[in-house]
Amino acid sequence: VSNSPLTLTIETSCDETAVAISRGTEILSNVVYSQLELHAQYGGVVPGIAKLAHQQKIDEVINTALNRAEVSLEQIETLAVTVGPGLAIALEVGVNKAKELAKQLNIPLIAVNHMEGHLLSSFANQDFAQAQLPALGLLVSGGHTEFILIEKLGKYEKVGETLDDACGEAFDKCAHLLGLPYPGGPAIARLADVAMPNLTINYKQQHQSYLLIATSNLTKQTYTLTIPMAGNPSLDVSYSGLKTAMKQLIAGLAGVDQKLNIQETGANAALPIEFTAELAAVFQVAAFRMLELKLQKALQKYPSIKELWLGGGVIANSYFRSLVTQFAHQNQLILRLPAKELTTDNAAMIAIAAYRQWLDGNYLTPNQHDQLDRQPNLTL
Ligand code: KG4
Ligand code: ZN
């Protein structure tokens, strides 16, 4: 690590303006300016607002990152930037800034896939050489839910994914149904934590369906949910059915016609808080049980897997963190769980993926900088 280049990394793929200073996987500073408040009132990220905010904040975030790492811009030896996947006009701000700085400093430039950043986020201040392969990666964010087989660092095979909504997206939509603020994940998690102690959870195989049955000793309610894809041998998941099921549970409790479009009427907001909390908990348990069932299937399919690598905003969820910790322990897997601040979008994880590429000699020399462009639809 000591002879690896001092790197400045920029990430602007969505609604975080983020810059990290690193050497190898060692993170010297990691600064994130979150635009959350700017988008919250719209219930989602507005690309035009994201672009403007990135443009306004990028220089300040760069300077803060340099200051915190106690290095000057002139000392930087490599530039790295997220090129995709993400919002095109948001990515563009980071890409242009990285090109400008790399040109000014006349140093190499590394194009990074945001998803590889999430995948390698647990390697912050760790040594890649410690990884025992093959490993299974599980990426769970607002835009992605993917199972990745890693035979070799840098060689990734997607072996399962969501067929519709991403897990984080499902949290956001469910939160909306429950009248909770955006982003939904943290809001659901907070309420679920309150309700969980009152719930007894059971699972039941019935005909072709795999059911979650939760009984509350507080409200005396019983909630039944079908966990989608449970019986399907693939490693794919699906979250749109869960959303529909939640709508029906909410409608049932609200005593309104099930055909009513809850999302439009907002009738859900009238639910007493203890019911909202229990629904949040039931949803959270179901959403993660689906992932756990697929992790089990993945181990059956690929018995040589030695490690489990987690990444993505949803990995901030405490309930899921303890669930996967237990799962890894039971299955004798080495668990790589990123620190919470590295689960949501940040530049430190991008810096780690950049270093992986640098080790592979995968960077643009100054005369190749023009080749760098944003790739909004990039995949792993
Ligand atoms: O990785 P990320 O910051 O952005 C994307 O690249 O998508 O993930 C954001 C997603 C949002 O859907 C958010 O609701 C979810 O992660 N999230 C959570 C939690 N914290 C954030 N989901 C469940 N539990 C949480 N504690
Ligand atoms: Zn992300």
Side-chain angles (χ1 to χ4, degrees), residues 215-280:
T215 313
S216 164
N217 62 22
L218 178 73
T219 64
K220 309 299 174 201
Q221 277 289 325
T222 295
Y223 306 90
T224 305
L225 266 180
T226 299
I227 303 200
M229 302 299 285
N232 188 303
S234 77
L235 299 182
D236 293 333
V237 293
S238 161
Y239 279 103
S240 66
L242 213 48
K243 187 180 58 194
T244 311
M246 287 305 296
K247 262 190 200 178
Q248 284 164 353
L249 284 180
I250 293 166
L253 283 175
V256 293
D257 189 318
Q258 298 210 353
K259 287 185 212 79
L260 216 62
N261 187 337
I262 300 286
Q263 199 163 338
E264 275 170 23
T265 61
N268 45 312
L271 278 184
I273 187 71
E274 49 283 32
F275 289 99
T276 304
E278 288 178 0
L279 286 168

Side-chain angles (χ1 to χ4, degrees), residues 81-359:
V81 63
T82 304
V83 293
L87 302 169
I89 59 174
L91 288 163
E92 199 168 79
V93 178
V95 166
N96 287 343
K97 180 55 76 175
K99 276 175 149 173
E100 176 194 318
L101 291 176
K103 187 176 178 206
Q104 178 191 331
L105 298 168
N106 197 30
I107 56 178
L109 185 51
I110 305 176
V112 181
N113 182 323
H114 181 85
M115 297 317 293
E116 185 175 11
H118 277 303
L119 187 65
L120 300 183
S121 57
S122 60
F123 282 92
N125 305 310
Q126 304 287 317
D127 191 350
F128 284 144
Q130 282 165 1
Q132 292 182 36
L133 301 174
L136 181 72
L138 174 54
L139 298 174
V140 200
S141 72
H144 294 79
T145 309
E146 297 178 348
F147 290 88
I148 311 284
L149 187 64
I150 305 125
E151 297 279 1
K152 177 180 168 294
L153 211 58
K155 189 171 173 288
Y156 310 119
E157 185 193 349
K158 196 191 295 172
V159 292
E161 65 186 322
T162 181
L163 301 177
D164 38 64
D165 295 348
C167 183
E169 186 181 1
F171 268 85
D172 295 335
K173 286 180 176 172
C174 178
H176 187 73
L177 290 174
L178 289 169
L180 302 172
Y182 173 86
I188 288 194
R190 269 194 299 277
L191 278 179
D193 284 349
V194 176
M196 275 307 271
N198 300 324
L199 294 174
T200 305
I201 312 269
N202 285 297
Y203 298 102
K204 189 168 147 198
Q205 186 81 44
Q206 196 177 67
H207 308 296
Q208 305 294 355
S209 317
Y210 186 84
L211 302 179
L212 178 161
I213 302 159
T215 313
S216 164
N217 62 22
L218 178 73
T219 64
K220 309 299 174 201
Q221 277 289 325
T222 295
Y223 306 90
T224 305
L225 266 180
T226 299
I227 303 200
M229 302 299 285
N232 188 303
S234 77
L235 299 182
D236 293 333
V237 293
S238 161
Y239 279 103
S240 66
L242 213 48
K243 187 180 58 194
T244 311
M246 287 305 296
K247 262 190 200 178
Q248 284 164 353
L249 284 180
I250 293 166
L253 283 175
V256 293
D257 189 318
Q258 298 210 353
K259 287 185 212 79
L260 216 62
N261 187 337
I262 300 286
Q263 199 163 338
E264 275 170 23
T265 61
N268 45 312
L271 278 184
I273 187 71
E274 49 283 32
F275 289 99
T276 304
E278 288 178 0
L279 286 168
V282 169
F283 170 81
Q284 175 170 287
V285 172
F288 291 143
R289 180 65 180 172
M290 184 156 39
L291 295 180
E292 190 188 9
L293 290 169
K294 295 297 171 170
L295 283 174
Q296 281 168 359
K297 281 196 166 57
L299 293 189
Q300 286 160 6
K301 226 169 168 163
Y302 307 104
S304 58
I305 287 169
K306 297 188 185 70
E307 301 196 352
L308 184 56
W309 299 2
L310 296 175
V314 179
I315 306 298
N317 188 286
S318 303
Y319 173 81
F320 190 58
R321 292 173 82 86
S322 54
L323 189 148
V324 288
T325 302
Q326 226 177 336
F327 179 86
H329 184 74
Q330 281 163 359
N331 293 283
Q332 278 127 37
L333 294 171
I334 292 169
L335 180 66
R336 297 196 186 268
L337 195 58
K340 278 195 187 185
E341 66 269 23
L342 297 186
T343 56
T344 44
D345 289 349
N346 64 86
M349 68 180 195
I350 304 301
I352 295 161
Y355 179 56
R356 195 283 301 163
Q357 293 205 70
W358 185 83
L359 289 173

Side-chain angles (χ1 to χ4, degrees), residues 353-373:
Y355 179 56
R356 195 283 301 163
Q357 293 205 70
W358 185 83
L359 289 173
D360 288 348
N362 208 358
Y363 52 81
L364 299 170
T365 53
N367 62 336
Q368 298 170 321
H369 286 176
D370 290 344
Q371 294 171 20
L372 188 86
D373 202 0

